[in-house]
Amino acid sequence: VLRVKLSHLNEYTQARQTAAAFYDKAFANHPNIKIPQRSKNSTHVFHQYTLVLEGTDRNALKEHLATKGIPAMIYYPIPLHLQKAYKDPRYKEGAFPVTEHLCKSVLSLPMHTELSEETQNYIAGTVLEFSPL
């Protein structure tokens, strides 16, 4: 199975990059949405497409998307230094403010190799119709 899939790896990567470019364009000028940044000297495969939301209720947006059948995900809701397994008295809340902010404000949109333009229009439109965003 993997040997067959491996022969399509470049095609799968291109499909994800095309989907990411679509999302980039849809959200590029929105004042409350930051799109993923890329390094000019590398490429990205986009296992996930994660937005940083500013000035909006991320959980309410996630629920709004769910009511429309769109599975958005919050993969890392708790910073590592605040998780029980990794607690250390040297690192309390506030020790890593950027990490803590991102854990409260990121949301990942659907990303896979079979996203059609119609589906992406629906996803992007549903994000953009959310108020207050």
Side-chain angles (χ1 to χ4, degrees), residues 6-100:
L6 190 57
S7 68
H8 297 282
L9 188 59
N10 290 337
E11 176 185 333
Y12 295 157
T13 298
Q14 182 58 51
R16 287 174 176 272
Q17 290 169 338
T18 299
F22 182 97
Y23 283 143
D24 285 350
K25 187 175 179 184
F27 304 123
N29 297 315
H30 198 288
N32 299 72
I33 299 174
K34 290 184 183 175
I35 60 174
Q37 292 185 350
R38 311 224 219 329
S39 176
K40 292 178 183 177
N41 63 346
S42 69
T43 57
H44 197 301
V45 177
F46 288 98
H47 174 69
Q48 299 173 8
Y49 188 89
T50 303
L51 301 173
V52 179
L53 305 170
E54 301 291 349
T56 192
D57 184 341
R58 183 255 325 255
N59 293 330
L61 174 56
K62 183 179 183 301
E63 289 175 24
H64 171 72
L65 293 170
T67 66
K68 305 289 186 170
I70 299 169
M73 299 297 296
I74 301 167
Y75 289 105
Y76 308 103
I78 302 170
L80 192 63
H81 68 286
L82 298 178
Q83 292 181 23
K84 186 177 179 180
Y86 297 99
K87 284 227 176 190
D88 183 309
R90 297 176 294 171
Y91 308 115
K92 303 202 180 313
E93 190 165 349
F96 299 99
V98 173
T99 299
E100 293 169 28

Side-chain angles (χ1 to χ4, degrees), residues 68-127:
K68 305 289 186 170
I70 299 169
M73 299 297 296
I74 301 167
Y75 289 105
Y76 308 103
I78 302 170
L80 192 63
H81 68 286
L82 298 178
Q83 292 181 23
K84 186 177 179 180
Y86 297 99
K87 284 227 176 190
D88 183 309
R90 297 176 294 171
Y91 308 115
K92 303 202 180 313
E93 190 165 349
F96 299 99
V98 173
T99 299
E100 293 169 28
H101 171 72
L102 290 173
C103 285
K104 293 175 185 173
S105 62
V106 298
L107 185 67
S108 296
L109 298 180
M111 174 55 76
H112 53 81
T113 59
E114 306 300 321
L115 281 173
S116 68
E117 188 171 328
E118 178 183 359
T119 299
Q120 283 197 284
N121 273 317
Y122 179 68
I123 293 167
T126 304
V127 168

